Amino acid sequence: MAPEQLGFEGMPRKLYSCTPSRLNTWLDCPRRYRMTYLDRPMPSKGPRWAHNSVGSSVHNALAAWWKLPRPERTPEMAGTLLIRGWLTDGFRDEAQSAGQRDRAREMVERYAARLDPSDEPLGVERTVATRTEQIAVSGRIDRLDARGPELVVVDYKTGRHVLTADDARGSLALALYAVAASRVLRRPCHRVELHHLPSGETAVWEHTDASLDRHLRRAEQIAAEAAAADEAYRTRLGPVPKPRSGAQPAIDHAPYDEVFPPRPGNLCSWCDFARHCPEGTQAAPRKDPWAALPVEA
């Protein structure tokens, strides 16, 4: 048997592997982070959300559109792809699903009509990754454009609220995508864009090297907190006990709350694990799975 490797002061620490979503989950609620990334088996989630079905259907249709031969990249084909891949989870009934499908089809056709089908992106649903001395971060970009010598990160949005330049500026995910894309492809990348399909508006931010570095340092700070909590879970707290039967009992959070405290608030209405969180249930009532859809006329 090989001898156990001893640790020495000054040796490199193990990198914390993460995605922007993992980092943001830690910021939003350490308890939800624990249930999402550490508890195994993962606690059961609530019903799927209709707005996620809309978003995934739109993203999938636009990704498939760019994979078509150029002559077939028409607005009508974007709508056809949306219909073919429509996801039906979370809607109140078939009538609501059909109405939202028609709305989404109109959205993607209107958006595709603004695109130049010959302006080939450098990447569609492309995974990029980078590392520092502390983290190894990866993520998937909706679309990566080449505009002159620079790269541009494009993120599609389908929610109700129109986005602003501040949303683009403050997005940790977009900044990390820009850093990773620049390092992977060895081209500068400072511009990030949020394309809001319902309104047709685009929120843009031009980062500087300094602002991207600030986001990277912020990611390292978040990762350091999350990594310390992960280590406590493994070595001190131990995993949440598994259910003894098929039924999932109430989770006793108390032993874990010093390291993974809940952060109850309005967002608890949208938490997939709300049924397992008394504080979250008390903070905000559970929303219907279709509650984030546009108000119907």
Side-chain angles (χ1 to χ4, degrees):
M1 184 174 66
E4 181 177 273
Q5 184 177 355
L6 299 177
F8 294 95
E9 192 158 348
M11 288 183 65
R13 289 183 299 175
K14 182 180 178 181
L15 297 181
Y16 178 78
S17 296
C18 59
T19 62
S21 179
R22 183 170 182 141
L23 297 175
N24 282 322
T25 301
W26 172 260
L27 283 182
D28 288 343
C29 180
R31 177 181 285 177
R32 180 160 64 91
Y33 172 94
R34 192 203 80 216
M35 289 192 284
T36 302
Y37 296 106
L38 301 179
D39 289 354
R40 293 295 179 269
M42 180 189 293
S44 58
K45 293 184 176 183
R48 296 183 179 180
W49 300 98
H51 63 275
N52 286 342
S53 292
V54 174
S56 295
S57 298
V58 168
H59 280 71
N60 293 342
L62 291 174
W65 189 82
W66 282 111
K67 296 176 183 177
L68 293 172
R70 291 184 187 182
E72 297 180 26
R73 294 176 189 169
T74 64
E76 294 75 21
M77 182 53 72
T80 298
L81 291 168
L82 184 285
I83 296 296
R84 289 177 184 171
W86 183 246
L87 301 173
T88 59
D89 294 322
F91 295 99
R92 183 182 57 237
D93 49 36
E94 291 185 8
Q96 186 184 58
S97 175
Q100 292 298 318
R101 181 194 61 206
D102 292 343
R103 169 182 166 270
R105 179 177 187 170
E106 180 184 352
M107 270 198 311
V108 297
E109 289 182 350
R110 184 172 64 245
Y111 181 74
R114 297 165 44 195
L115 300 173
D116 179 355
S118 65
D119 189 11
E120 203 75 38
L122 281 183
V124 174
E125 296 292 327
R126 175 163 185 161
T127 297
V128 293
T130 191
R131 61 179 57 198
T132 71
E133 293 182 354
Q134 299 180 45
I135 62 174
V137 61
S138 63
R140 190 168 61 183
I141 302 173
D142 290 343
R143 198 176 85 218
L144 185 64
D145 289 352
R147 302 183 196 167
E150 288 255 354
L151 304 176
V152 178
V153 172
V154 173
D155 196 52
Y156 304 132
K157 295 297 182 184
T158 58
R160 291 184 298 191
H161 302 295
V162 178
L163 303 168
T164 69
D166 282 343
D167 294 302
R169 176 184 60 82
S171 171
L172 178 67
L174 293 184
L176 293 177
Y177 294 157
V179 172
S182 178
R183 293 182 179 181
V184 168
L185 297 176
R186 300 182 183 279
R187 296 175 65 173
C189 184
H190 297 93
R191 184 181 176 96
V192 297
E193 297 181 353
L194 294 169
H195 291 201
H196 187 246
L197 272 70
S199 66
E201 298 291 328
T202 298
V204 178
W205 187 256
E206 291 278 356
H207 278 291
T208 63
D209 289 341
S211 67
L212 290 174
D213 187 66
R214 284 195 295 271
H215 275 286
L216 199 56
R217 300 287 83 78
R218 178 62 173 145
E220 289 179 329
Q221 293 170 0
I222 301 167
E225 296 175 8
D230 289 5
E231 183 64 17
Y233 186 91
R234 287 191 296 267
T235 62
R236 176 160 60 88
L237 298 172
V240 174
K242 296 180 181 180
R244 295 181 180 178
S245 65
Q248 183 133 198
I251 297 174
D252 180 9
H253 296 288
Y256 307 92
D257 281 354
E258 181 181 352
V259 178
F260 301 96
R263 289 189 181 144
N266 291 335
L267 289 179
C268 294
S269 292
W270 308 98
C271 181
D272 288 331
F273 300 109
R275 66 175 68 182
H276 306 291
C277 182
E279 293 89 343
T281 302
Q282 186 176 4
R286 179 73 175 176
K287 298 284 189 181
D288 289 324
W290 54 86
L293 296 175
V295 178
E296 297 172 313

